[in-house]
Amino acid sequence: MYPRGVSAREAYDLVVLGAGPAGERGATQAAELGKRVAIVEAAPYPGGAGVNTGTVPSKALRASALYFSGLRQRGLFGRDYDLLSGLTMRNVLHREKEAVEALREVVRQNLDHHQVDVVYGLGDFEDAHTIRIAPSDRGPVRHLRGEVLLLATGSLPNPGRDLPRGPRVYDSDSVLRMETLPRRLGIIGAGVMGCEYASTFSALGVDVTVIDGRGRLLPFLDAEFSDRLRLEMERLGVRFWLRDRVVRVAMDRDGVALHLQSGATVPVEAVLVAAGRLGRTEGLGLDRLGIGVGDRGHVSVNAHYQTAVPHLYAVGDVIGPPGLAATAMDQARVAMCHAFDLADKARVAGIVPLAVHTIPEVAGAGETEQSARERGVDFCVGRAPFSRNARAQLAGDVGGLLKLVFRPEDRALLGVHILGEGASELVHIGLMVLHVGGRIDTFVDATFNYPTLGEAYKYAAYDGLSALQRRRA
């Protein structure tokens, strides 16, 4: 017997709210198990923030910035080869629009291949098993019943109570809808999105100022790499006001004046508010199910990603950090394997790689020097500057660094940290050694192609062994 308004035709083994990376993976995982699955998406297209407003668009914009600025060529030829004269936002965003459309189609095809029913409209919880959907085409309200429900509605930009609003103020979702490229941009927040957009816009010739109340960039990074990233961004032209905050905003027809607590005034043409993101839970009717949310809109879950209602699972940004698409997808797989009693994937990996797509990139996995010290873990480090790497010299990328953190007693690898172009790819070599509990000897024993950036692992390991020998002398 189905609730009023729900027919057998619209009853499913799984109903997913949200067609972003987490929702898509959860839906297809269940479909591969032979389950009947529907996915509900409020936007008129699938992909979530990962494809439409966040991960992919920002990286496409970064690629355009590198192309138009000629930054990759400057280190090779010792002069500027740029195409910035007369550059417009239409030029810059051309590749972004192509990439987004292509990846939306990839998601559509994947859901279709797995025979997942996609319903576009705004969904909320009518009861513990029923999703009520107000269709985006103003058609009749629909009701979908799911024996299992998966909440994967993602996140939205944090507007902040004391942060500016107005026609010249953008957030991490709306920034790519700028009609013109500003000459001066103020960015409030030096988190991941703030730093990524700061370096990208600076590469495009925009005068960028970043304001943040914290003392250093991206505190989750190894401190040495946080400091190096700031130096590289300053070389790119980014100015920082750290340990400071905006206390007043004055707008006129010509621009925006940001008045800081320190007494300084920063005149800009546009402002990007990058104050983090909130879980997208408002209006979902979770209170009807007895499920509360935290101050930042996040839902609490257990180790299997179950909420307080056991058949309702939640994954991705809606449950809070780390806010990574890759982690969200794995969470969804774990949740669905638990929901449908499959032992294929019981947990998300204990060590997750992080990458920040600034210019240059920075990436890491495992322990930093600071986290090891705080945990009372004895450690030693080995470094390989890119200035000594043949491939980096050929590419003109000599400011980078690869660092290994390892345990002295058995030389077990504890962490790997990289700054430089390609860091987001290069980190996976170290990640796999961490994943199997390997030692830095692995890099010494392995043969790396020459000239490659991967070879830096071998020389970081040699440096670490030399440091260990000096320490024991």
Side-chain angles (χ1 to χ4, degrees), residues 29-248:
Q29 177 73 70
E32 287 173 358
L33 301 176
K35 305 302 178 182
R36 188 163 189 256
V37 182
I39 192 166
V40 180
E41 174 54 54
Y45 35 71
V51 168
N52 297 292
T53 59
T55 307
V56 169
S58 65
K59 279 53 175 180
L61 181 65
R62 179 186 187 274
S64 295
L66 286 171
Y67 170 75
F68 285 112
S69 67
L71 276 174
R72 283 180 172 154
Q73 287 72 43
R74 294 181 193 184
L76 293 175
F77 303 111
R79 55 167 292 185
D80 291 356
Y81 283 82
D82 69 64
L83 304 172
L84 292 176
S85 300
L87 191 64
T88 66
M89 283 299 284
R90 182 177 179 181
N91 300 139
V92 173
L93 295 176
H94 175 72
R95 178 59 190 145
E96 178 265 338
K97 295 182 187 303
E98 286 187 339
V100 167
E101 269 304 323
L103 288 168
R104 283 176 184 169
E105 187 58 29
V106 168
V107 177
R108 290 188 190 102
Q109 290 178 7
N110 190 36
L111 293 172
D112 185 60
H113 172 74
H114 285 88
Q115 298 182 321
V116 174
D117 292 341
V118 182
V119 180
Y120 291 103
L122 194 61
D124 68 337
F125 294 96
E126 182 168 272
D127 59 43
H129 281 280
T130 308
I131 302 296
R132 176 178 54 199
I133 306 156
S136 51
D137 60 3
R138 298 186 180 180
V141 172
R142 296 176 63 179
H143 297 80
L144 306 185
R145 175 181 172 82
E147 289 303 311
V148 174
L149 303 175
L150 177 63
L151 178 61
T153 47
S155 61
L156 71 167
N158 177 15
R161 288 178 295 177
D162 303 319
L163 297 175
R165 292 171 175 80
R168 296 176 182 269
V169 179
Y170 301 88
D171 59 34
S172 55
D173 282 358
S174 64
V175 64
L176 296 181
R177 296 198 293 270
M178 279 184 178
E179 294 183 359
T180 59
L181 198 62
R183 290 174 297 175
R184 299 185 306 277
L185 176 67
I187 298 181
I188 300 175
V192 171
M193 295 302 290
C195 287
E196 288 185 349
Y197 277 121
S199 57
T200 294
F201 277 103
S202 186
L204 288 168
V206 177
D207 186 341
V208 177
T209 301
V210 178
I211 303 151
D212 194 285
R214 293 168 293 187
R216 67 181 178 94
L217 306 187
L218 307 175
F220 57 83
L221 293 179
D222 183 279
E224 180 178 6
F225 284 76
S226 175
D227 293 341
R228 278 179 172 260
L229 177 62
R230 177 178 175 177
L231 179 61
E232 292 296 325
M233 290 177 66
E234 287 175 337
R235 286 174 176 165
L236 195 60
V238 180
R239 285 192 295 273
F240 291 96
W241 289 86
L242 300 182
R243 294 192 176 92
D244 212 339
R245 67 184 185 91
V246 176
V247 294
R248 188 168 68 86

Side-chain angles (χ1 to χ4, degrees), residues 13-34:
D13 298 304
L14 171 68
V15 178
V16 182
L17 269 179
E24 178 196 357
R25 291 304 184 273
T28 56
Q29 177 73 70
E32 287 173 358
L33 301 176

